Amino acid sequence: MTHNVKRTFAMLLLAIFGSVLLYNCEPEPDSLGEQLFANEATEGTVTPYDLIAYNINNNDSIRSDASKLINLWGSTSSTAVLGAFNESKFGMQKASYLTQLRLSTDNPDFGTNAVVDSVVLVIRPSAAQYDGTALGDITGKAGFLNGDNTIPTNESIKTYAVNKYGNIETAGAPTLFNINVNEVTTFLDANNPSFTRSNVSVSTGALLGTRVFNGNVTAMTILKTSDNSTAFTSNLGFRIPLDKTFFQNKIIAKKGQPELQDASNFTRYFNGIRISVAENDGYLFQFSPNDMEMIMYYKSDVTTNGVVTRPQTTFTFNLKEANAHIGQYEYNRAGSSLSTALATSSEQNGDPRLYTQAMGGPSIGVKIQDTDINKLKTLYQNNKAAIVGAKIRIYTDKTNWDNAYAKPTKFTLLPVDSKAATGELISSTFTQDMLLGFTPYKTYDLDKNPAYYDFTVTKTVKDIVETGAENKTLVINLGEFLALSSSSTTLAGYKYTSRSFAMDRAVFVGTDASNANRIQLLVTYGTKK
């Protein structure tokens, strides 16, 4: 190799890794090696190495309080999950939601002879309202009750499908859920660590309301026939009527009493509500807790010039971020493939099938074998083999995950620094590749069986081989790192992910010498001619 060629090779290598420090100036990390080999200054080799990959049992528990249900850090936007889904690989998963509620006004005055007409809870699931036309658009004439008067109106009701994961249909028809709203009789103490976990146990009291959910949400507009002005409007959502007698006795009857004086008294008097589905199979869907509404419609006496009327008034309850919020998740793994896999899992030798599921389900641990690290170190020291690319390639299991469920598209990859007494793996930073701005992973063949994924670990492997950094276990979870805001591409930090409310799951091929699609580390390195 001539002096000029050697100098060109060195400058190219420096430029490539220097540009990464600026912020991923190279859009395709996996093409780093191609640039070096373009002028035949070096010979490039891609070598696969089998990895030790195993299932991590998270004991079906995850932190799922208000601080973890955010979907953009620093934002009031939040996401929770409802539903139930039962299948043979992972077993049954059921998601409920607990929240406190507060009075919109302390010590409210409901007037004289106040009587509740109705109470409604509005849930706003994530729907495909921007993906095309509505499923249905019903228009017609109706009579709208305003206080004691019925007003002729025209109404328009638009229907949209909710985004779902699981068994969307049963016997060819849409899967139906009975969504229940119960009073919570346990104080939801947000300062108590036991009320931050998804497997929290609480007591419930009265069934406040229930309604059959067919997987769709509606938006309604009602206009007065007389002048075309708005009589009523509701944004996209699902409305559940609640027990008006309960609220008459629990709220109206306590007017002027200590229970309604302030938030501290009220949250101990009316602890909150639990929203759940009655069934144990169907699908999961997401909704926004901070967009929920609970509205009480009531009438009371109003005297004007000696004439008593009873117009309808509304009182809203505050369900937003100031309250305790908890995603409550239940699992029944009995008889599932996951149950067997966890019982026989081997951190030392790896597992042939890897199961990953968010919301407290299992994670995947991955480690490079020390013998392979030593081989790479020998190549580097003796053959001057510089690593210019490294990726972990993992396939979904063609046989054990052959279904119509959407393949996962959002992951996190973190280095493990320690293990808590509970078995939970602890990380303290991003991977070095993430810190340098490399694209963390790429997805392939999501519409096929199998799909596969490449996780970028170039800098991570280079550091282990070339600088003696520790060969740490890496952990793969479902869910994505959260951005600081909707207008920012800057990540909030390694601790902030959507794992607490991500709904999908998948089975992957692990450490299985007999399977061509086994998980592997693909290392690209260049050597001098």
Side-chain angles (χ1 to χ4, degrees):
M1 180 181 287
T2 66
H3 174 74
N4 287 338
V5 172
K6 290 180 180 179
R7 184 170 180 272
T8 299
F9 175 85
M11 291 179 66
L12 278 171
L13 191 62
L14 177 63
I16 289 167
F17 286 102
S19 67
V20 172
L21 292 171
L22 294 176
Y23 187 74
N24 194 15
C25 297
E26 178 59 55
E28 297 289 342
D30 293 338
S31 68
L32 294 177
E34 294 175 7
Q35 296 189 19
L36 297 178
F37 310 143
N39 296 319
E40 298 184 355
T42 62
E43 292 181 348
T45 303
V46 179
T47 304
Y49 297 91
D50 290 342
L51 292 165
I52 299 172
Y54 61 97
N55 293 293
I56 299 171
N57 187 354
N58 293 309
N59 298 307
D60 290 338
S61 176
I62 191 171
R63 187 167 177 179
S64 60
D65 60 342
S67 69
K68 295 299 182 181
L69 297 182
I70 53 173
N71 56 28
L72 288 170
W73 185 249
S75 167
T76 58
S77 181
S78 59
T79 302
V81 182
L82 278 179
F85 180 29
N86 193 356
E87 44 84 18
S88 63
K89 304 304 179 184
F90 288 84
M92 192 278 292
Q93 176 186 19
K94 193 169 188 176
S96 305
Y97 174 70
L98 308 169
T99 183
Q100 288 176 322
L101 64 158
R102 304 183 184 210
L103 300 168
S104 55
T105 304
D106 289 340
N107 195 23
D109 183 358
F110 301 110
T112 304
N113 298 324
V115 176
V116 177
D117 284 332
S118 63
V119 184
V120 64
L121 175 70
V122 185
I123 303 173
R124 305 197 188 283
S126 171
Q129 67 264 44
Y130 301 116
D131 294 343
T133 58
L135 293 177
D137 188 355
I138 302 173
T139 59
K141 296 186 180 298
F144 180 72
L145 185 64
N146 182 16
D148 294 327
N149 301 315
T150 300
I151 304 170
T153 59
N154 292 315
E155 66 178 21
S156 173
I157 303 175
K158 295 182 182 294
T159 303
Y160 299 87
V162 167
N163 295 319
K164 312 174 187 71
Y165 183 87
N167 297 321
I168 297 171
E169 292 188 347
T170 303
T175 300
L176 302 179
F177 277 137
N178 286 280
I179 298 184
N180 295 332
V181 182
N182 285 84
E183 178 190 14
V184 171
T185 56
T186 302
F187 176 58
L188 303 178
D189 186 357
N191 296 316
N192 185 333
S194 64
F195 286 91
T196 66
R197 307 294 299 187
S198 60
N199 57 348
V200 63
S201 178
V202 300
S203 299
T204 57
L207 177 64
L208 304 183
T210 186
R211 187 182 171 194
V212 175
F213 180 61
N214 66 357
N216 300 326
V217 288
T218 59
M220 177 184 294
T221 301
I222 299 178
L223 303 177
K224 297 178 184 178
T225 304
S226 58
D227 59 5
N228 212 38
S229 63
T230 300
F232 177 81
T233 184
S234 68
N235 295 328
L236 204 63
F238 179 70
R239 300 168 69 87
I240 304 174
L242 304 182
D243 183 355
K244 66 179 183 179
T245 302
F246 174 90
F247 284 86
Q248 180 74 37
N249 297 330
K250 191 84 174 181
I251 306 298
I252 297 293
K254 293 294 182 178
K255 172 188 170 182
Q257 298 186 30
E259 289 89 338
L260 308 189
Q261 290 296 314
D262 54 42
S264 178
N265 283 2
F266 185 74
T267 54
R268 286 164 174 79
Y269 166 63
F270 192 171
N271 297 137
I273 58 173
R274 179 177 187 259
I275 307 171
S276 63
V277 299
E279 293 74 16
N280 291 324
D281 191 18
Y283 52 83
L284 304 172
F285 65 95
Q286 296 175 332
F287 69 100
S288 173
N290 282 332
D291 288 338
M292 287 200 310
E293 293 181 282
M294 183 185 286
I295 308 167
M296 180 173 68
Y297 299 88
Y298 68 96
K299 293 193 291 284
S300 60
D301 294 346
V302 174
T303 303
T304 305
N305 298 324
V307 178
V308 178
T309 58
R310 292 179 59 79
Q312 190 177 76
T313 307
T314 62
F315 183 86
T316 59
F317 295 88
N318 180 358
L319 299 170
K320 297 187 182 298
E321 58 270 10
N323 296 291
H325 306 272
I326 309 168
Q328 186 185 39
Y329 310 143
E330 305 167 65
Y331 294 91
N332 183 352
R333 307 292 194 185
S336 67
S337 301
L338 171 61
S339 178
T340 303
L342 292 178
T344 58
S345 180
S346 172
E347 183 176 343
Q348 289 71 38
N349 301 318
D351 299 334
R353 299 295 171 267
L354 304 174
Y355 295 76
T356 183
Q357 180 183 29
M359 296 168 61
S363 307
I364 297 173
V366 181
K367 190 170 184 179
I368 307 171
Q369 298 185 65
D370 290 336
T371 53
D372 290 332
I373 291 295
N374 291 333
K375 291 177 184 177
L376 288 168
K377 286 182 177 180
T378 299
L379 283 171
Y380 176 68
Q381 293 165 358
N382 296 345
N383 296 15
K384 306 301 181 186
I387 295 173
V388 293
K391 55 193 174 184
I392 295 171
R393 177 165 291 177
I394 185 170
Y395 285 83
T396 57
D397 190 281
K398 186 175 182 179
T399 302
N400 291 283
W401 200 243
D402 182 11
N403 52 54
Y405 310 133
K407 300 290 195 307
T409 60
K410 297 175 181 178
F411 299 85
T412 63
L413 179 71
L414 287 169
V416 176
D417 291 312
S418 60
K419 182 183 291 188
T422 59
E424 185 174 3
L425 301 182
I426 299 173
S427 301
S428 59
T429 185
F430 291 112
T431 64
Q432 290 301 306
D433 300 85
M434 284 286 291
L435 290 172
L436 292 177
F438 276 149
T439 302
Y441 59 89
K442 294 181 181 179
T443 63
Y444 300 90
D445 295 342
L446 295 179
D447 58 341
K448 299 177 182 177
N449 182 29
Y452 70 97
Y453 306 82
D454 285 345
F455 291 85
T456 303
V457 288
T458 302
K459 187 65 168 61
T460 298
V461 176
K462 278 181 68 68
D463 285 350
I464 295 171
V465 173
E466 298 175 10
T467 69
E470 183 180 355
N471 179 20
K472 293 182 177 180
T473 296
L474 300 173
V475 60
I476 298 174
N477 277 309
L478 290 177
E480 63 182 333
F481 292 113
L482 300 177
L484 286 172
S485 69
S486 59
S487 59
S488 173
T489 58
T490 303
L491 299 181
Y494 70 93
K495 292 182 179 180
Y496 305 110
T497 77
S498 62
R499 183 178 158 216
S500 293
F501 52 85
M503 300 184 294
D504 42 10
R505 79 264 327 255
V507 181
F508 296 90
V509 182
T511 305
D512 183 355
S514 65
N515 195 318
N517 288 341
R518 61 189 177 275
I519 188 170
Q520 290 187 314
L521 174 70
L522 304 181
V523 179
T524 303
Y525 56 86
T527 58
K528 298 177 183 179
K529 281 189 174 181

